[in-house]
Amino acid sequence: MAVIAARFRGHEDMVVLPGMKADRCDPVHENLTVTKIGLVACTRPGDGERSSLSEFARAPGDMLASVRSRLAEY
């Protein structure tokens, strides 16, 4: 957790998705839905030393479009 604490900016790096479909075996589901979270805990350009090789990683556009369309189905 120390790495996440050093790299995580809660107001920028977290997404909360309430009402997501849950597996019926999930012990915490309510009416087959749960809240899921996503975290970004990576370095950013300019974080740390000047010689840092960190850079933004971007998912391919077609992958992002697919994820967005699937999220719209929820």
Side-chain angles (χ1 to χ4, degrees):
M1 271 320 224
V3 173
I4 289 178
R7 302 289 182 209
F8 181 71
R9 295 171 179 101
H11 64 288
E12 297 177 5
D13 299 334
M14 182 171 71
V15 62
V16 179
L17 303 169
M20 301 300 290
K21 292 180 183 176
D23 188 283
R24 67 177 184 241
C25 296
D26 192 328
V28 296
H29 78 79
E30 294 179 15
N31 299 321
L32 291 177
T33 64
V34 293
T35 298
K36 296 188 178 189
I37 62 169
L39 305 174
V40 176
C42 302
T43 61
R44 296 175 180 208
D47 282 354
E49 300 297 321
R50 291 188 70 105
S51 61
S52 173
L53 298 177
S54 65
E55 62 184 63
F56 283 112
R58 303 249 185 243
D62 58 331
M63 182 183 294
L64 290 174
S66 174
V67 169
R68 286 185 182 114
S69 69
R70 290 180 185 192
L71 284 174
E73 293 174 9
Y74 283 100

